[in-house]
Each structure stands twice: as structure tokens, then as C-alpha cells.
PDB file of all heavy atoms in Angstrom:
ATOM      1  N   GLY A   1       0.768  -1.243   0.002  1.00 86.00           N
ATOM      2  CA  GLY A   1       0.035  -0.054  -0.062  1.00 86.00           C
ATOM      3  C   GLY A   1       0.840   1.310   0.016  1.00 86.00           C
ATOM      4  O   GLY A   1       0.203   2.336   0.051  1.00 86.00           O
ATOM      5  N   MET A   2       2.126   1.264  -0.002  1.00 88.00           N
ATOM      6  CA  MET A   2       3.008   2.358   0.112  1.00 88.00           C
ATOM      7  C   MET A   2       3.278   2.870  -1.432  1.00 88.00           C
ATOM      8  O   MET A   2       3.366   2.083  -2.390  1.00 88.00           O
ATOM      9  CB  MET A   2       4.271   2.102   0.754  1.00 88.00           C
ATOM     10  CG  MET A   2       4.116   1.906   2.225  1.00 88.00           C
ATOM     11  SD  MET A   2       5.745   1.769   3.034  1.00 88.00           S
ATOM     12  CE  MET A   2       5.343   1.748   4.848  1.00 88.00           C
ATOM     13  N   ASN A   3       3.495   4.159  -1.513  1.00 89.00           N
ATOM     14  CA  ASN A   3       3.899   4.738  -2.776  1.00 89.00           C
ATOM     15  C   ASN A   3       5.470   4.547  -2.891  1.00 89.00           C
ATOM     16  O   ASN A   3       6.092   4.057  -1.892  1.00 89.00           O
ATOM     17  CB  ASN A   3       3.554   6.254  -2.847  1.00 89.00           C
ATOM     18  CG  ASN A   3       4.143   7.051  -1.768  1.00 89.00           C
ATOM     19  OD1 ASN A   3       5.357   6.946  -1.513  1.00 89.00           O
ATOM     20  ND2 ASN A   3       3.455   8.014  -1.175  1.00 89.00           N
ATOM     21  N   PRO A   4       6.120   4.778  -4.136  1.00 90.00           N
ATOM     22  CA  PRO A   4       7.465   4.437  -4.278  1.00 90.00           C
ATOM     23  C   PRO A   4       8.378   5.189  -3.238  1.00 90.00           C
ATOM     24  O   PRO A   4       9.386   4.634  -2.837  1.00 90.00           O
ATOM     25  CB  PRO A   4       7.690   4.959  -5.612  1.00 90.00           C
ATOM     26  CG  PRO A   4       6.388   4.793  -6.304  1.00 90.00           C
ATOM     27  CD  PRO A   4       5.351   5.084  -5.330  1.00 90.00           C
ATOM     28  N   GLN A   5       8.013   6.430  -2.898  1.00 90.00           N
ATOM     29  CA  GLN A   5       8.873   7.195  -2.003  1.00 90.00           C
ATOM     30  C   GLN A   5       8.810   6.563  -0.574  1.00 90.00           C
ATOM     31  O   GLN A   5       9.816   6.392   0.039  1.00 90.00           O
ATOM     32  CB  GLN A   5       8.373   8.599  -1.953  1.00 90.00           C
ATOM     33  CG  GLN A   5       8.676   9.477  -3.157  1.00 90.00           C
ATOM     34  CD  GLN A   5       7.639   9.105  -4.319  1.00 90.00           C
ATOM     35  OE1 GLN A   5       6.660   8.692  -4.095  1.00 90.00           O
ATOM     36  NE2 GLN A   5       8.187   9.284  -5.485  1.00 90.00           N
ATOM     37  N   GLU A   6       7.623   6.282  -0.131  1.00 89.00           N
ATOM     38  CA  GLU A   6       7.453   5.512   1.178  1.00 89.00           C
ATOM     39  C   GLU A   6       8.175   4.304   1.190  1.00 89.00           C
ATOM     40  O   GLU A   6       8.770   3.869   2.179  1.00 89.00           O
ATOM     41  CB  GLU A   6       5.955   5.434   1.460  1.00 89.00           C
ATOM     42  CG  GLU A   6       5.222   6.611   1.767  1.00 89.00           C
ATOM     43  CD  GLU A   6       3.724   6.470   1.841  1.00 89.00           C
ATOM     44  OE1 GLU A   6       3.189   5.582   1.199  1.00 89.00           O
ATOM     45  OE2 GLU A   6       3.042   7.191   2.697  1.00 89.00           O
ATOM     46  N   THR A   7       8.143   3.507   0.096  1.00 91.00           N
ATOM     47  CA  THR A   7       8.732   2.270  -0.072  1.00 91.00           C
ATOM     48  C   THR A   7      10.265   2.269   0.080  1.00 91.00           C
ATOM     49  O   THR A   7      10.916   1.496   0.836  1.00 91.00           O
ATOM     50  CB  THR A   7       8.337   1.502  -1.380  1.00 91.00           C
ATOM     51  OG1 THR A   7       6.993   1.218  -1.344  1.00 91.00           O
ATOM     52  CG2 THR A   7       9.156   0.160  -1.488  1.00 91.00           C
ATOM     53  N   LYS A   8      10.817   3.228  -0.607  1.00 91.00           N
ATOM     54  CA  LYS A   8      12.281   3.453  -0.613  1.00 91.00           C
ATOM     55  C   LYS A   8      12.725   3.785   0.788  1.00 91.00           C
ATOM     56  O   LYS A   8      13.760   3.305   1.329  1.00 91.00           O
ATOM     57  CB  LYS A   8      12.662   4.552  -1.643  1.00 91.00           C
ATOM     58  CG  LYS A   8      14.127   4.772  -1.593  1.00 91.00           C
ATOM     59  CD  LYS A   8      14.500   5.796  -2.735  1.00 91.00           C
ATOM     60  CE  LYS A   8      15.977   6.144  -2.860  1.00 91.00           C
ATOM     61  NZ  LYS A   8      16.314   7.063  -3.921  1.00 91.00           N
ATOM     62  N   ALA A   9      11.957   4.726   1.418  1.00 91.00           N
ATOM     63  CA  ALA A   9      12.334   5.139   2.805  1.00 91.00           C
ATOM     64  C   ALA A   9      12.222   3.935   3.782  1.00 91.00           C
ATOM     65  O   ALA A   9      13.049   3.765   4.736  1.00 91.00           O
ATOM     66  CB  ALA A   9      11.395   6.269   3.300  1.00 91.00           C
ATOM     67  N   LEU A  10      11.219   3.125   3.626  1.00 91.00           N
ATOM     68  CA  LEU A  10      11.028   1.954   4.521  1.00 91.00           C
ATOM     69  C   LEU A  10      12.174   0.957   4.271  1.00 91.00           C
ATOM     70  O   LEU A  10      12.680   0.263   5.302  1.00 91.00           O
ATOM     71  CB  LEU A  10       9.693   1.222   4.341  1.00 91.00           C
ATOM     72  CG  LEU A  10       9.428   0.178   5.392  1.00 91.00           C
ATOM     73  CD1 LEU A  10       9.307   0.850   6.775  1.00 91.00           C
ATOM     74  CD2 LEU A  10       8.146  -0.529   5.117  1.00 91.00           C
ATOM     75  N   MET A  11      12.622   0.799   3.056  1.00 93.00           N
ATOM     76  CA  MET A  11      13.699  -0.129   2.854  1.00 93.00           C
ATOM     77  C   MET A  11      14.957   0.340   3.550  1.00 93.00           C
ATOM     78  O   MET A  11      15.672  -0.520   4.231  1.00 93.00           O
ATOM     79  CB  MET A  11      13.931  -0.217   1.353  1.00 93.00           C
ATOM     80  CG  MET A  11      12.987  -0.968   0.587  1.00 93.00           C
ATOM     81  SD  MET A  11      13.244  -0.829  -1.186  1.00 93.00           S
ATOM     82  CE  MET A  11      14.799  -1.669  -1.439  1.00 93.00           C
ATOM     83  N   GLN A  12      15.253   1.613   3.553  1.00 94.00           N
ATOM     84  CA  GLN A  12      16.426   2.125   4.211  1.00 94.00           C
ATOM     85  C   GLN A  12      16.276   1.973   5.735  1.00 94.00           C
ATOM     86  O   GLN A  12      17.212   1.634   6.498  1.00 94.00           O
ATOM     87  CB  GLN A  12      16.723   3.541   3.837  1.00 94.00           C
ATOM     88  CG  GLN A  12      17.966   4.180   4.448  1.00 94.00           C
ATOM     89  CD  GLN A  12      19.224   3.360   4.074  1.00 94.00           C
ATOM     90  OE1 GLN A  12      19.352   3.094   2.875  1.00 94.00           O
ATOM     91  NE2 GLN A  12      20.016   2.902   5.052  1.00 94.00           N
ATOM     92  N   PHE A  13      15.041   2.230   6.163  1.00 93.00           N
ATOM     93  CA  PHE A  13      14.690   2.085   7.658  1.00 93.00           C
ATOM     94  C   PHE A  13      14.962   0.675   8.052  1.00 93.00           C
ATOM     95  O   PHE A  13      15.592   0.399   9.142  1.00 93.00           O
ATOM     96  CB  PHE A  13      13.240   2.446   7.927  1.00 93.00           C
ATOM     97  CG  PHE A  13      12.743   2.137   9.161  1.00 93.00           C
ATOM     98  CD1 PHE A  13      13.197   2.782  10.308  1.00 93.00           C
ATOM     99  CD2 PHE A  13      11.723   1.100   9.387  1.00 93.00           C
ATOM    100  CE1 PHE A  13      12.813   2.444  11.595  1.00 93.00           C
ATOM    101  CE2 PHE A  13      11.362   0.867  10.582  1.00 93.00           C
ATOM    102  CZ  PHE A  13      11.823   1.468  11.843  1.00 93.00           C
ATOM    103  N   ILE A  14      14.518  -0.368   7.305  1.00 95.00           N
ATOM    104  CA  ILE A  14      14.811  -1.777   7.685  1.00 95.00           C
ATOM    105  C   ILE A  14      16.311  -2.140   7.761  1.00 95.00           C
ATOM    106  O   ILE A  14      16.689  -2.731   8.826  1.00 95.00           O
ATOM    107  CB  ILE A  14      14.056  -2.673   6.657  1.00 95.00           C
ATOM    108  CG1 ILE A  14      12.621  -2.496   6.908  1.00 95.00           C
ATOM    109  CG2 ILE A  14      14.527  -4.107   6.986  1.00 95.00           C
ATOM    110  CD1 ILE A  14      11.799  -3.327   5.712  1.00 95.00           C
ATOM    111  N   ARG A  15      17.005  -1.612   6.857  1.00 95.00           N
ATOM    112  CA  ARG A  15      18.528  -1.721   6.901  1.00 95.00           C
ATOM    113  C   ARG A  15      19.032  -1.137   8.162  1.00 95.00           C
ATOM    114  O   ARG A  15      19.921  -1.693   8.878  1.00 95.00           O
ATOM    115  CB  ARG A  15      19.136  -1.124   5.638  1.00 95.00           C
ATOM    116  CG  ARG A  15      18.856  -1.780   4.345  1.00 95.00           C
ATOM    117  CD  ARG A  15      19.823  -1.257   3.241  1.00 95.00           C
ATOM    118  NE  ARG A  15      19.462  -1.536   1.958  1.00 95.00           N
ATOM    119  CZ  ARG A  15      18.668  -0.871   1.142  1.00 95.00           C
ATOM    120  NH1 ARG A  15      18.239   0.307   1.473  1.00 95.00           N
ATOM    121  NH2 ARG A  15      18.335  -1.297  -0.047  1.00 95.00           N
ATOM    122  N   ASP A  16      18.604   0.153   8.465  1.00 95.00           N
ATOM    123  CA  ASP A  16      19.099   0.840   9.656  1.00 95.00           C
ATOM    124  C   ASP A  16      18.789   0.126  10.898  1.00 95.00           C
ATOM    125  O   ASP A  16      19.756   0.063  11.784  1.00 95.00           O
ATOM    126  CB  ASP A  16      18.552   2.286   9.618  1.00 95.00           C
ATOM    127  CG  ASP A  16      19.013   3.131   8.562  1.00 95.00           C
ATOM    128  OD1 ASP A  16      20.059   2.807   7.934  1.00 95.00           O
ATOM    129  OD2 ASP A  16      18.389   4.155   8.324  1.00 95.00           O
ATOM    130  N   ILE A  17      17.512  -0.354  11.130  1.00 94.00           N
ATOM    131  CA  ILE A  17      17.284  -1.000  12.329  1.00 94.00           C
ATOM    132  C   ILE A  17      17.971  -2.391  12.516  1.00 94.00           C
ATOM    133  O   ILE A  17      18.328  -2.751  13.602  1.00 94.00           O
ATOM    134  CB  ILE A  17      15.737  -1.168  12.631  1.00 94.00           C
ATOM    135  CG1 ILE A  17      15.072  -2.021  11.525  1.00 94.00           C
ATOM    136  CG2 ILE A  17      15.068   0.154  12.683  1.00 94.00           C
ATOM    137  CD1 ILE A  17      13.696  -2.382  11.860  1.00 94.00           C
ATOM    138  N   ARG A  18      18.227  -2.969  11.308  1.00 95.00           N
ATOM    139  CA  ARG A  18      18.979  -4.337  11.376  1.00 95.00           C
ATOM    140  C   ARG A  18      20.440  -3.970  11.907  1.00 95.00           C
ATOM    141  O   ARG A  18      20.905  -4.735  12.833  1.00 95.00           O
ATOM    142  CB  ARG A  18      18.958  -4.826   9.926  1.00 95.00           C
ATOM    143  CG  ARG A  18      19.732  -6.226   9.830  1.00 95.00           C
ATOM    144  CD  ARG A  18      21.223  -6.108   9.717  1.00 95.00           C
ATOM    145  NE  ARG A  18      21.635  -5.420   8.506  1.00 95.00           N
ATOM    146  CZ  ARG A  18      21.852  -6.022   7.220  1.00 95.00           C
ATOM    147  NH1 ARG A  18      21.746  -7.378   7.130  1.00 95.00           N
ATOM    148  NH2 ARG A  18      22.137  -5.283   6.179  1.00 95.00           N
ATOM    149  N   ASN A  19      20.946  -2.917  11.443  1.00 95.00           N
ATOM    150  CA  ASN A  19      22.326  -2.581  11.837  1.00 95.00           C
ATOM    151  C   ASN A  19      22.447  -2.015  13.243  1.00 95.00           C
ATOM    152  O   ASN A  19      23.232  -2.431  14.048  1.00 95.00           O
ATOM    153  CB  ASN A  19      22.909  -1.612  10.878  1.00 95.00           C
ATOM    154  CG  ASN A  19      23.111  -2.165   9.422  1.00 95.00           C
ATOM    155  OD1 ASN A  19      23.210  -3.383   9.292  1.00 95.00           O
ATOM    156  ND2 ASN A  19      23.155  -1.380   8.479  1.00 95.00           N
ATOM    157  N   ARG A  20      21.524  -1.196  13.584  1.00 93.00           N
ATOM    158  CA  ARG A  20      21.555  -0.602  14.899  1.00 93.00           C
ATOM    159  C   ARG A  20      21.134  -1.516  16.116  1.00 93.00           C
ATOM    160  O   ARG A  20      21.664  -1.383  17.077  1.00 93.00           O
ATOM    161  CB  ARG A  20      20.667   0.730  14.882  1.00 93.00           C
ATOM    162  CG  ARG A  20      21.077   1.801  14.024  1.00 93.00           C
ATOM    163  CD  ARG A  20      20.203   3.074  14.055  1.00 93.00           C
ATOM    164  NE  ARG A  20      20.202   3.591  15.413  1.00 93.00           N
ATOM    165  CZ  ARG A  20      19.376   4.748  15.615  1.00 93.00           C
ATOM    166  NH1 ARG A  20      18.773   5.326  14.774  1.00 93.00           N
ATOM    167  NH2 ARG A  20      19.398   5.243  16.966  1.00 93.00           N
ATOM    168  N   LEU A  21      20.211  -2.385  15.787  1.00 94.00           N
ATOM    169  CA  LEU A  21      19.718  -3.196  16.812  1.00 94.00           C
ATOM    170  C   LEU A  21      20.187  -4.649  16.727  1.00 94.00           C
ATOM    171  O   LEU A  21      19.818  -5.560  17.512  1.00 94.00           O
ATOM    172  CB  LEU A  21      18.181  -3.324  16.765  1.00 94.00           C
ATOM    173  CG  LEU A  21      17.434  -1.864  16.913  1.00 94.00           C
ATOM    174  CD1 LEU A  21      15.945  -2.072  16.937  1.00 94.00           C
ATOM    175  CD2 LEU A  21      17.865  -1.175  18.185  1.00 94.00           C
ATOM    176  N   ASP A  22      21.078  -4.933  15.691  1.00 93.00           N
ATOM    177  CA  ASP A  22      21.646  -6.272  15.517  1.00 93.00           C
ATOM    178  C   ASP A  22      20.505  -7.248  15.403  1.00 93.00           C
ATOM    179  O   ASP A  22      20.497  -8.341  16.021  1.00 93.00           O
ATOM    180  CB  ASP A  22      22.541  -6.646  16.735  1.00 93.00           C
ATOM    181  CG  ASP A  22      23.427  -7.875  16.375  1.00 93.00           C
ATOM    182  OD1 ASP A  22      23.606  -8.113  15.243  1.00 93.00           O
ATOM    183  OD2 ASP A  22      23.854  -8.571  17.378  1.00 93.00           O
ATOM    184  N   LEU A  23      19.604  -6.983  14.432  1.00 96.00           N
ATOM    185  CA  LEU A  23      18.484  -7.877  14.256  1.00 96.00           C
ATOM    186  C   LEU A  23      18.685  -8.778  13.042  1.00 96.00           C
ATOM    187  O   LEU A  23      19.563  -8.613  12.258  1.00 96.00           O
ATOM    188  CB  LEU A  23      17.289  -7.007  13.868  1.00 96.00           C
ATOM    189  CG  LEU A  23      16.571  -6.125  14.929  1.00 96.00           C
ATOM    190  CD1 LEU A  23      15.491  -5.374  14.284  1.00 96.00           C
ATOM    191  CD2 LEU A  23      15.901  -7.144  15.929  1.00 96.00           C
ATOM    192  N   THR A  24      18.013  -9.893  13.093  1.00 98.00           N
ATOM    193  CA  THR A  24      17.813 -10.735  11.836  1.00 98.00           C
ATOM    194  C   THR A  24      16.420 -10.404  11.371  1.00 98.00           C
ATOM    195  O   THR A  24      15.524 -10.390  12.194  1.00 98.00           O
ATOM    196  CB  THR A  24      18.022 -12.195  12.186  1.00 98.00           C
ATOM    197  OG1 THR A  24      19.413 -12.454  12.705  1.00 98.00           O
ATOM    198  CG2 THR A  24      17.995 -13.035  10.970  1.00 98.00           C
ATOM    199  N   VAL A  25      16.240 -10.203  10.101  1.00 98.00           N
ATOM    200  CA  VAL A  25      14.921  -9.876   9.501  1.00 98.00           C
ATOM    201  C   VAL A  25      14.448 -10.854   8.428  1.00 98.00           C
ATOM    202  O   VAL A  25      15.271 -11.257   7.595  1.00 98.00           O
ATOM    203  CB  VAL A  25      14.958  -8.437   8.908  1.00 98.00           C
ATOM    204  CG1 VAL A  25      13.588  -8.141   8.336  1.00 98.00           C
ATOM    205  CG2 VAL A  25      15.360  -7.472  10.004  1.00 98.00           C
ATOM    206  N   LEU A  26      13.338 -11.452   8.583  1.00 98.00           N
ATOM    207  CA  LEU A  26      12.712 -12.256   7.579  1.00 98.00           C
ATOM    208  C   LEU A  26      11.392 -11.498   7.149  1.00 98.00           C
ATOM    209  O   LEU A  26      10.575 -11.230   7.886  1.00 98.00           O
ATOM    210  CB  LEU A  26      12.343 -13.638   8.133  1.00 98.00           C
ATOM    211  CG  LEU A  26      11.627 -14.540   7.144  1.00 98.00           C
ATOM    212  CD1 LEU A  26      12.473 -14.849   5.943  1.00 98.00           C
ATOM    213  CD2 LEU A  26      11.280 -15.857   7.863  1.00 98.00           C
ATOM    214  N   LEU A  27      11.396 -11.299   5.869  1.00 96.00           N
ATOM    215  CA  LEU A  27      10.255 -10.446   5.273  1.00 96.00           C
ATOM    216  C   LEU A  27       9.563 -11.133   4.109  1.00 96.00           C
ATOM    217  O   LEU A  27      10.231 -11.695   3.247  1.00 96.00           O
ATOM    218  CB  LEU A  27      10.562  -9.018   4.943  1.00 96.00           C
ATOM    219  CG  LEU A  27      11.654  -8.794   3.855  1.00 96.00           C
ATOM    220  CD1 LEU A  27      10.893  -8.626   2.443  1.00 96.00           C
ATOM    221  CD2 LEU A  27      12.477  -7.569   4.214  1.00 96.00           C
ATOM    222  N   ILE A  28       8.264 -11.159   4.319  1.00 96.00           N
ATOM    223  CA  ILE A  28       7.397 -11.591   3.077  1.00 96.00           C
ATOM    224  C   ILE A  28       7.131 -10.308   2.298  1.00 96.00           C
ATOM    225  O   ILE A  28       6.779  -9.214   2.876  1.00 96.00           O
ATOM    226  CB  ILE A  28       6.008 -12.084   3.492  1.00 96.00           C
ATOM    227  CG1 ILE A  28       6.157 -13.460   4.251  1.00 96.00           C
ATOM    228  CG2 ILE A  28       5.120 -12.312   2.319  1.00 96.00           C
ATOM    229  CD1 ILE A  28       4.985 -13.978   4.917  1.00 96.00           C
ATOM    230  N   GLU A  29       7.274 -10.378   0.973  1.00 91.00           N
ATOM    231  CA  GLU A  29       7.158  -9.208   0.114  1.00 91.00           C
ATOM    232  C   GLU A  29       6.824  -9.591  -1.294  1.00 91.00           C
ATOM    233  O   GLU A  29       7.480 -10.513  -1.793  1.00 91.00           O
ATOM    234  CB  GLU A  29       8.465  -8.310   0.195  1.00 91.00           C
ATOM    235  CG  GLU A  29       8.301  -6.987  -0.458  1.00 91.00           C
ATOM    236  CD  GLU A  29       7.135  -6.239  -0.007  1.00 91.00           C
ATOM    237  OE1 GLU A  29       7.199  -5.691   1.194  1.00 91.00           O
ATOM    238  OE2 GLU A  29       6.148  -5.997  -0.750  1.00 91.00           O
ATOM    239  N   HIS A  30       5.816  -8.940  -1.924  1.00 87.00           N
ATOM    240  CA  HIS A  30       5.501  -9.133  -3.303  1.00 87.00           C
ATOM    241  C   HIS A  30       6.186  -8.213  -4.204  1.00 87.00           C
ATOM    242  O   HIS A  30       6.251  -8.506  -5.485  1.00 87.00           O
ATOM    243  CB  HIS A  30       3.971  -9.040  -3.486  1.00 87.00           C
ATOM    244  CG  HIS A  30       3.250 -10.173  -2.883  1.00 87.00           C
ATOM    245  ND1 HIS A  30       3.266 -11.486  -3.548  1.00 87.00           N
ATOM    246  CD2 HIS A  30       2.374 -10.331  -1.997  1.00 87.00           C
ATOM    247  CE1 HIS A  30       2.454 -12.350  -2.960  1.00 87.00           C
ATOM    248  NE2 HIS A  30       1.959 -11.639  -1.871  1.00 87.00           N
ATOM    249  N   ASP A  31       6.727  -7.148  -3.723  1.00 88.00           N
ATOM    250  CA  ASP A  31       7.389  -6.160  -4.557  1.00 88.00           C
ATOM    251  C   ASP A  31       8.887  -6.618  -4.807  1.00 88.00           C
ATOM    252  O   ASP A  31       9.617  -6.595  -3.914  1.00 88.00           O
ATOM    253  CB  ASP A  31       7.459  -4.791  -3.847  1.00 88.00           C
ATOM    254  CG  ASP A  31       7.890  -3.653  -4.807  1.00 88.00           C
ATOM    255  OD1 ASP A  31       8.687  -3.930  -5.645  1.00 88.00           O
ATOM    256  OD2 ASP A  31       7.548  -2.430  -4.644  1.00 88.00           O
ATOM    257  N   MET A  32       9.142  -7.067  -6.020  1.00 86.00           N
ATOM    258  CA  MET A  32      10.463  -7.580  -6.264  1.00 86.00           C
ATOM    259  C   MET A  32      11.535  -6.580  -6.158  1.00 86.00           C
ATOM    260  O   MET A  32      12.712  -6.937  -5.878  1.00 86.00           O
ATOM    261  CB  MET A  32      10.490  -8.217  -7.700  1.00 86.00           C
ATOM    262  CG  MET A  32       9.643  -9.463  -7.769  1.00 86.00           C
ATOM    263  SD  MET A  32      10.213 -10.830  -6.624  1.00 86.00           S
ATOM    264  CE  MET A  32       8.757 -11.025  -5.770  1.00 86.00           C
ATOM    265  N   ARG A  33      11.236  -5.289  -6.298  1.00 87.00           N
ATOM    266  CA  ARG A  33      12.211  -4.257  -6.117  1.00 87.00           C
ATOM    267  C   ARG A  33      12.749  -4.283  -4.754  1.00 87.00           C
ATOM    268  O   ARG A  33      13.796  -3.975  -4.414  1.00 87.00           O
ATOM    269  CB  ARG A  33      11.630  -3.005  -6.601  1.00 87.00           C
ATOM    270  CG  ARG A  33      11.401  -2.817  -8.036  1.00 87.00           C
ATOM    271  CD  ARG A  33      10.604  -1.512  -8.359  1.00 87.00           C
ATOM    272  NE  ARG A  33       9.171  -1.676  -7.833  1.00 87.00           N
ATOM    273  CZ  ARG A  33       8.291  -0.810  -7.905  1.00 87.00           C
ATOM    274  NH1 ARG A  33       8.459   0.288  -8.667  1.00 87.00           N
ATOM    275  NH2 ARG A  33       7.113  -0.958  -7.337  1.00 87.00           N
ATOM    276  N   VAL A  34      11.735  -4.440  -3.846  1.00 91.00           N
ATOM    277  CA  VAL A  34      12.159  -4.438  -2.363  1.00 91.00           C
ATOM    278  C   VAL A  34      12.948  -5.682  -2.110  1.00 91.00           C
ATOM    279  O   VAL A  34      14.017  -5.698  -1.481  1.00 91.00           O
ATOM    280  CB  VAL A  34      10.879  -4.415  -1.519  1.00 91.00           C
ATOM    281  CG1 VAL A  34      11.262  -4.610  -0.057  1.00 91.00           C
ATOM    282  CG2 VAL A  34      10.103  -3.072  -1.778  1.00 91.00           C
ATOM    283  N   VAL A  35      12.398  -6.911  -2.546  1.00 91.00           N
ATOM    284  CA  VAL A  35      13.081  -8.185  -2.158  1.00 91.00           C
ATOM    285  C   VAL A  35      14.537  -8.201  -2.646  1.00 91.00           C
ATOM    286  O   VAL A  35      15.407  -8.529  -2.068  1.00 91.00           O
ATOM    287  CB  VAL A  35      12.325  -9.346  -2.778  1.00 91.00           C
ATOM    288  CG1 VAL A  35      13.106 -10.690  -2.581  1.00 91.00           C
ATOM    289  CG2 VAL A  35      10.904  -9.448  -2.183  1.00 91.00           C
ATOM    290  N   MET A  36      14.660  -7.761  -3.957  1.00 91.00           N
ATOM    291  CA  MET A  36      16.042  -7.951  -4.607  1.00 91.00           C
ATOM    292  C   MET A  36      16.845  -6.767  -4.204  1.00 91.00           C
ATOM    293  O   MET A  36      18.120  -7.011  -4.278  1.00 91.00           O
ATOM    294  CB  MET A  36      15.857  -7.861  -6.079  1.00 91.00           C
ATOM    295  CG  MET A  36      15.097  -9.103  -6.620  1.00 91.00           C
ATOM    296  SD  MET A  36      15.762 -10.672  -6.178  1.00 91.00           S
ATOM    297  CE  MET A  36      14.268 -11.784  -6.784  1.00 91.00           C
ATOM    298  N   GLY A  37      16.344  -5.728  -3.647  1.00 93.00           N
ATOM    299  CA  GLY A  37      17.097  -4.575  -3.334  1.00 93.00           C
ATOM    300  C   GLY A  37      17.623  -4.614  -1.907  1.00 93.00           C
ATOM    301  O   GLY A  37      18.610  -4.000  -1.557  1.00 93.00           O
ATOM    302  N   ILE A  38      17.081  -5.409  -0.994  1.00 95.00           N
ATOM    303  CA  ILE A  38      17.271  -5.394   0.422  1.00 95.00           C
ATOM    304  C   ILE A  38      17.746  -6.738   0.939  1.00 95.00           C
ATOM    305  O   ILE A  38      18.444  -6.761   2.044  1.00 95.00           O
ATOM    306  CB  ILE A  38      15.984  -4.817   1.254  1.00 95.00           C
ATOM    307  CG1 ILE A  38      16.349  -4.429   2.580  1.00 95.00           C
ATOM    308  CG2 ILE A  38      14.958  -5.963   1.325  1.00 95.00           C
ATOM    309  CD1 ILE A  38      15.271  -3.849   3.400  1.00 95.00           C
ATOM    310  N   SER A  39      17.464  -7.783   0.335  1.00 96.00           N
ATOM    311  CA  SER A  39      17.767  -9.089   0.875  1.00 96.00           C
ATOM    312  C   SER A  39      19.139  -9.604   0.665  1.00 96.00           C
ATOM    313  O   SER A  39      19.783  -9.336  -0.371  1.00 96.00           O
ATOM    314  CB  SER A  39      16.727 -10.166   0.264  1.00 96.00           C
ATOM    315  OG  SER A  39      15.440  -9.785   0.435  1.00 96.00           O
TER     316      SER A  39
END
């Protein structure tokens, strides 16, 4: 449901919290730009 700008910002946010909080992240996603760009 996000627009391209919101999607891009959320992708960076997920990377940031992974690094800052030492998280492991598993995500379900239909947007291939997100999957291939972040995983």
C-alpha cells in the first residue's frame, strides 16, 4: 500500500534497524524491487 517514496524510505529504515539493533529480519514481500534490493 505504500507509494514508491514511502517504499524506498522503509527499505532504508529496515537496513538501519537491522544494523543498529543487531536484528535478523525475515520479510514476506510481493514487490520484487524491495526483495531484490534489500535481501
